[in-house]
Amino acid sequence: MSDSLSKLEKRTAYTLVLPAVLLVFAIVLFPIFANVWISFKDIELKDIRIPEPRAKKIVKSISENQSELKIIYKLRNSSLIQEIRNVQFQDKFPTNVSPVNLDPRCNFQSKKVVCSFGNWQAKYRENFEIIIQNNNGEIIDKKIIKSQKPILSGKADNPLLTTNFTLENFKKVFYENNFVELLLTTFYFTFFGTVGAIIFGILAAQLVNQNIQGRTYMRGILLFPYVGPVVALAYTWTLLLDPNSGTLNALLVNFNIIEQPINLLGQKYITMSILGFEFKLRLALTTVIFFEIWRYFPLAFLFILARLQAIPQSLYEAAEVDGASPIQKFIHITLPQITAIISILFMIRFIWNFNKFEDIFLLTGGASGTRTLPINVYQQGFAVSDIGMGSAVSIVIVMLLLSFMVIYFRLIGKRANEV
Amino acid sequence: MKFKSLAIFLIISSFFLTCILSIWKIMATLQGLSFTNLKITPVFLIGILLSLAFVLIGNKINHLIKIFSLSIIFSISYFYLNEASPYWYIFGVFLITLFFTNKLKKYNMQSLQEDFISEKIIFDFITLFGIVFFAFVILFPFYIMLVTSFKTQIALLVNPLDFSLDFTKSLTELFKSYFVIFETYNFGRYILISSAVSIGTVIVTLLFAIPAAYAVARLNFFGKNFLSTSILIIYMFPAIVLVIPLYTVFSQLGLRNSIFGLLIVYTATTLPVAIYMLQGYFKSIPKEIEDAGIMDGQNWFGIILKIIIPLSLPAIASVALYVFMIAWNEFLFSLMFLDSPKSFTLSRAIQYLSGDAETPRQYLMAGSVIVTLPVLFIFIYFEKYLVSGLTAGSVKE
């Protein structure tokens, strides 16, 4: 009895879960594995369509009375890298019209010309001609002939499914792609973006957690950058920071804080001198990091605030009685209570910053030293059109992510379960 | 000891006042006033005098009379120290000073002798300063976005700092950018597409997520633990690594440039979060209620439809709003999959507009306002649901 019940339960569970699992598998998991496949192939954006035979039909008169016409078919293989096998061609003609001196590859039967062209190599092209005449010497209507489209068919492998593999993509990723700088930029962006967002999150949460008036409004306002659409926010920032007529530069120049406008998003380095030490700062990258912090500190803020509000007030009251200063209270009561949530936030934000594409793409397009790994995926795959190379970069990202996760679960995973 | 805390008090409080007044000056400059100097040092010095006077007077006179007279004196001296400025600007200075002196209420010569008073002063003013700072930094870009959409290219080139709105103009003049992007750039269509994709994503996601979340929360089956951990891991995986395979496959299937293709991708990428958020809530529903349903002979379909869904409407609403916002704001996939202006979403349309360097910036900002307003309205109106959903179900971009 209970056995059949649990069987029923299992069956029900699988029916309920299956649609969601299949969809996620097809759209999320399958592509991750497909990346591995594509990354070992020498394939470009223009090659991804399955090759097909194509024909362009041109009709020309060759006799005075138009009882004879020459038809030129510009035949070609749409693919530049793959052959099409067993190409078949077929075109229909009106009654009383028949071909003259038909190509030996073709047959004329019941108003149809049928040809077998055999195999077409990659880049194959041919101007194929048929001369037709009206059997009764009457005029052939060009328009009718032109409106009839030839039908072509052929067998070709899906370029994604062929089994010729190469290591070339990975060689290029590591040796020809400025890989070290790419990696350093990515980590610089990820690390400072994450740490900055968490620090500002702690500050904001600490502020809002005081008994200030309008606390709920403040919480709502602080979340605006997080819920707003990235496109709108990124373009607003671009406009604000624009060196020629951006508000920020105009203000700074107006109040004589700087002499010349600074191209915050378009300049790779800026030389700073602090206490006599001169050093170069990655200017555009730093600006992008600030945008990142601005956009994502609200998330850290929200989680830390939720945690702060759960700390029992009695702890602070006891500390007050013991004569603790505000700083002591923060260090000895607040901080230990929020370390767990901070470590989780660090992990989540680290991974997401590591994968961040839109923000950098919209602000700088990856120029001025802001090229990170995800930007590189786009540049290789779509700007340079090297799909295989883009996939190889994706694989590098996935591998790095997996290692972060392993490290994280080793180090802090146990503690995360307690929260 | 007393001198030290007095000095800290004077410096910190005056620093705070100087910061607020500088922000006020910047905002006034953006209204077309031609200030060219923040005059930080003189303001800081008269700020110190103000705070000093405040603690010296102490409780000798009524608090209200004290703050009013001090603010008036401060505003007048500020007026003489500054460049020529209109009365509304000075009135603003007066209100800020009033607010500031009111915040000083608890400080006097006696209270400056308490334990840890320096730390308390610092904490107090950092809190105040922090709130003003965060509010300013957050809202300023939104403010610029909004006011730019009401200006004209020429006006902005003549004076990039003048964002004042000319209300003497007719409404059609003021809202010109909005008329243009609707008439010339077809934004009506993009709003429809974005709404259709977002609402469609919400419906399909819920259809898939509710049964799955119910199974994960309630039923026992082989692979359940594996499933619930992989949900978390999957949604850590980035969209950027899915883009190339999806692009190639969608090209071959003819799903690019189609709203349907976008809908599938959005649904699949939001499903893990939706399931995770919902199952957490379903677990909190007492099991006895369902047992009663089973006794009545309901099958799982009946239980979900008649018991689970009505009981978890708040959670479903928060998931729905959340998924809507993700789909509405989504940019990466719409960039990759949509090439034809016929099928653009709002985000993609704005990005397309910006690709043309000739596009006047006020059109770009008007488009940005249009894409931002709905999410901000939804967020403000349903903030409670959304915040609880965000914190309960962890997070997704």
Side-chain angles (χ1 to χ4, degrees):
Chain A
M1 171 66 192
S2 75
D3 206 40
S4 75
L5 250 182
S6 84
K7 256 187 191 163
L8 179 73
E9 187 176 330
K10 267 184 196 166
R11 237 194 11 241
T12 312
Y14 289 130
T15 339
L16 295 176
V17 163
L18 207 61
V21 169
L22 283 182
L23 187 67
V24 173
F25 190 86
I27 302 293
V28 182
L29 282 182
F30 163 72
I32 293 176
F33 294 112
N35 259 321
V36 180
W37 180 274
I38 299 175
S39 66
F40 286 106
K41 298 185 76 60
D42 179 20
I43 186 165
E44 296 203 358
L45 202 57
K46 57 183 187 295
D47 306 325
I48 58 172
R49 291 197 171 271
I50 299 168
E52 51 184 36
R54 294 202 181 139
K56 199 177 159 197
K57 194 172 180 181
I58 298 164
V59 184
K60 281 184 177 166
S61 334
I62 47 172
S63 66
E64 259 329 279
N65 61 2
Q66 297 208 350
S67 67
E68 272 190 348
L69 289 176
K70 181 157 98 177
I71 310 174
I72 305 162
Y73 297 93
K74 293 195 160 183
L75 303 176
R76 68 185 179 95
N77 178 347
S78 72
S79 166
L80 303 175
I81 53 160
Q82 269 188 294
E83 70 161 11
I84 309 173
R85 294 184 302 278
N86 194 14
V87 180
Q88 297 289 325
F89 171 96
Q90 184 186 324
D91 203 1
K92 264 187 179 174
F93 295 98
T95 6
N96 290 334
V97 172
S98 59
V100 188
N101 295 334
L102 194 60
D103 193 286
R105 292 173 292 181
C106 305
N107 281 315
F108 182 65
Q109 250 176 9
S110 55
K111 298 191 281 182
K112 278 184 206 160
V113 170
V114 180
C115 315
S116 321
F117 288 126
N119 297 354
W120 285 2
Q121 295 306 311
K123 299 181 190 169
Y124 179 87
R125 273 169 192 280
E126 179 186 349
N127 283 357
F128 173 67
E129 292 176 11
I130 298 178
I131 294 169
I132 49 168
Q133 65 173 28
N134 189 299
N135 300 340
N136 307 331
E138 291 161 5
I139 295 174
I140 310 176
D141 192 343
K142 262 182 162 179
K143 276 184 192 157
I144 294 179
I145 300 292
K146 238 198 145 164
S147 65
Q148 178 66 43
K149 295 272 180 284
I151 303 164
L152 284 110
S153 65
K155 276 191 178 171
D157 297 325
N158 188 329
L160 293 173
L161 299 180
T162 53
T163 47
N164 44 333
F165 295 111
T166 166
L167 276 171
E168 212 42 45
N169 292 324
F170 285 98
K171 272 189 201 153
K172 276 195 274 177
V173 168
F174 293 119
Y175 298 115
E176 289 172 28
N177 198 20
N178 233 337
F179 188 71
V180 176
E181 202 204 316
L182 185 62
L183 209 60
L184 282 178
T185 309
T186 312
F187 275 105
Y188 188 96
F189 171 79
T190 308
F191 182 77
F192 288 106
T194 309
V195 171
I198 289 178
I199 289 174
F200 277 91
I202 296 173
L203 284 178
Q206 190 70 19
L207 289 178
V208 175
N209 197 37
Q210 315 288 326
N211 283 317
I212 56 159
Q213 296 143 350
R215 184 157 100 173
T216 38
Y217 294 107
M218 198 59 201
R219 188 180 72 177
I221 290 172
L222 280 172
L223 284 164
F224 277 10
Y226 182 68
V227 296
V230 59
V231 176
L233 301 178
Y235 286 136
T236 308
W237 269 62
T238 322
L239 214 148
L240 263 175
L241 305 179
D242 184 80
N244 298 317
S245 53
T247 319
L248 186 70
N249 272 307
L251 273 176
L252 292 176
V253 171
N254 181 53
F255 287 121
N256 293 316
I257 296 169
I258 53 172
E259 277 171 21
Q260 287 292 318
I262 304 173
N263 194 351
L264 285 162
L265 286 168
Q267 198 174 322
K268 189 168 178 181
Y269 290 109
I270 190 167
T271 316
M272 309 258 289
S273 76
I274 290 176
L275 301 170
F277 289 101
E278 286 213 337
F279 69 99
K280 275 162 125 191
L281 182 77
R282 296 281 291 264
L283 184 63
L285 189 59
T286 310
T287 314
V288 174
I289 290 173
F290 270 102
F291 177 75
E292 198 64 13
I293 294 174
W294 181 78
R295 220 162 101 67
Y296 294 106
F297 90 84
L299 188 82
F301 152 77
L302 194 63
F303 278 77
I304 295 166
L305 180 66
R307 190 70 202 91
L308 284 181
Q309 287 173 339
I311 300 176
Q313 208 53 43
S314 56
L315 283 180
Y316 291 107
E317 283 157 12
E320 186 89 28
V321 173
D322 290 346
S325 76
I327 293 177
Q328 285 171 331
K329 280 194 237 168
F330 179 76
I331 292 175
H332 295 290
I333 303 176
T334 314
L335 264 187
Q337 294 274 350
I338 57 174
T339 39
I341 189 73
I342 287 177
S343 68
I344 294 175
L345 276 171
F346 185 83
M347 163 75 174
I348 295 178
R349 284 263 37 106
F350 192 87
I351 288 182
W352 278 333
N353 277 345
F354 192 80
N355 300 321
K356 200 82 235 151
F357 169 80
E358 293 100 321
D359 305 48
I360 307 174
F361 176 77
L362 289 166
L363 287 175
T364 64
S368 331
T370 56
R371 200 174 61 127
T372 59
L373 280 168
I375 292 284
N376 199 230
V377 172
Y378 177 83
Q379 285 178 338
Q380 297 296 348
F382 298 92
V384 187
S385 315
D386 191 343
I387 293 264
M389 176 94 167
S391 270
V393 182
S394 302
I395 292 297
V396 173
I397 294 181
V398 171
M399 286 305 165
L400 286 168
L401 276 183
L402 284 177
S403 38
F404 296 152
M405 283 188 189
V406 169
I407 293 170
Y408 175 77
F409 283 117
R410 283 271 163 81
L411 286 181
I412 340 181
K414 278 176 197 156
R415 194 197 263 165
N417 289 335
E418 292 160 16
V419 181
Chain B
M1 193 63 206
K2 188 177 164 184
F3 178 75
K4 184 187 144 204
S5 47
L6 178 67
I8 287 177
F9 167 75
L10 293 180
I11 291 170
I12 300 261
S13 63
S14 179
F15 174 75
F16 171 70
L17 181 65
T18 314
C19 287
I20 308 189
L21 287 175
S22 300
I23 290 179
W24 173 238
K25 198 163 194 178
I26 290 170
M27 295 314 285
T29 311
L30 295 181
Q31 291 304 312
L33 296 192
S34 51
F35 296 128
T36 53
N37 197 327
L38 281 176
K39 299 230 163 140
I40 289 173
T41 325
V43 173
F44 185 69
L45 289 177
I46 58 170
I48 284 185
L49 289 179
L50 174 74
S51 300
L52 186 64
F54 190 93
V55 284
L56 287 179
I57 295 169
N59 297 334
K60 282 173 201 136
I61 49 173
N62 177 288
H63 178 67
L64 270 182
I65 300 173
K66 185 169 95 177
I67 61 172
F68 261 94
S69 45
L70 280 177
S71 302
I72 289 172
I73 296 169
F74 180 85
S75 307
I76 293 171
S77 40
Y78 185 91
F79 180 76
Y80 280 106
L81 274 172
N82 248 288
E83 295 144 296
S85 41
Y87 289 108
W88 64 263
Y89 176 70
I90 293 298
F91 185 66
V93 173
F94 171 71
L95 289 183
I96 289 170
T97 322
L98 210 56
F99 164 80
F100 169 74
T101 42
N102 193 36
K103 284 284 170 203
L104 294 181
K105 193 171 180 178
K106 65 176 168 190
Y107 295 102
N108 52 46
M109 288 316 255
Q110 284 79 48
S111 73
L112 287 179
Q113 287 167 340
E114 284 172 16
D115 293 340
F116 304 121
I117 190 68
S118 327
E119 270 184 33
K120 279 182 188 155
I121 295 166
I122 294 172
F123 263 62
D124 255 20
F125 281 98
I126 283 184
T127 309
L128 270 179
F129 173 74
I131 286 161
V132 175
F133 168 81
F134 274 110
F136 179 71
V137 166
I138 296 279
L139 292 177
F140 189 66
F142 287 93
Y143 169 76
I144 293 294
M145 186 200 292
L146 187 68
V147 286
T148 307
S149 72
F150 292 115
K151 300 295 281 190
T152 62
Q153 183 88 336
I154 302 157
L156 284 174
L157 284 177
V158 171
N159 184 358
L161 287 180
D162 184 3
F163 286 102
S164 59
L165 299 183
D166 185 0
F167 289 107
T168 54
K169 283 198 281 189
S170 67
L171 275 181
T172 27
E173 277 289 298
L174 208 56
F175 283 90
K176 190 163 173 276
S177 309
Y178 292 88
F179 286 109
V180 171
I181 61 169
F182 272 100
E183 277 161 16
T184 335
Y185 295 104
N186 228 343
F187 262 61
R189 184 186 171 86
Y190 305 143
I191 291 180
L192 277 182
I193 293 178
S194 266
S195 316
V197 173
S198 312
I199 294 171
T201 306
V202 169
I203 295 171
V204 183
T205 303
L206 286 180
L207 279 181
F208 280 74
I210 292 175
Y214 175 75
V216 173
R218 276 289 192 269
L219 304 175
N220 278 313
F221 58 95
F222 177 74
K224 176 176 162 173
N225 287 334
F226 175 73
L227 194 70
S228 41
T229 37
S230 34
I231 288 173
L232 273 173
I233 292 176
I234 284 172
Y235 91 87
M236 295 299 261
F237 266 92
I240 189 74
V241 304
L242 312 180
V243 152
I244 286 178
L246 286 178
Y247 182 91
T248 49
V249 173
F250 275 32
S251 295
Q252 293 197 348
L253 297 178
L255 282 173
R256 267 178 55 225
N257 278 318
S258 90
I259 294 175
F260 178 69
L262 217 53
L263 191 85
I264 301 176
V265 175
Y266 288 179
T267 305
T269 46
T270 50
L271 256 179
V273 213
I275 295 176
Y276 184 70
M277 285 165 88
L278 283 175
Q279 58 98 20
Y281 194 85
F282 289 170
K283 274 182 187 158
S284 72
I285 299 174
K287 215 169 176 179
E288 291 74 33
I289 302 178
E290 276 164 68
D291 291 340
I294 296 170
M295 293 297 180
D296 289 348
Q298 299 275 7
N299 58 4
W300 60 267
F301 183 74
I303 290 173
I304 291 179
L305 202 66
K306 293 190 183 142
I307 298 171
I308 295 290
I309 291 182
L311 281 177
S312 39
L313 276 181
I316 293 176
S318 90
V319 173
L321 291 167
Y322 196 41
V323 171
F324 178 87
M325 295 209 316
I326 295 176
W328 180 273
N329 291 347
E330 206 285 332
F331 172 67
L332 174 60
F333 287 116
S334 63
L335 170 74
M336 298 289 177
F337 292 162
L338 310 177
D339 309 319
S340 138
K342 274 185 189 160
S343 49
F344 278 174
T345 59
L346 267 177
S347 290
R348 177 74 173 94
I350 293 169
Q351 191 261 342
Y352 184 73
L353 259 189
S354 84
D356 181 1
E358 302 282 294
T359 312
R361 60 176 60 168
Q362 70 268 25
Y363 297 165
L364 211 59
M365 287 300 107
S368 298
V369 170
I370 287 176
V371 68
T372 309
L373 274 187
V375 273
L376 284 196
F377 270 127
I378 289 179
F379 176 71
I380 292 167
Y381 200 76
F382 297 104
E383 193 205 325
K384 229 172 72 189
Y385 286 124
L386 281 166
V387 167
S388 65
L390 268 168
T391 39
S394 200
V395 270
K396 174 72 178 171
E397 307 279 287

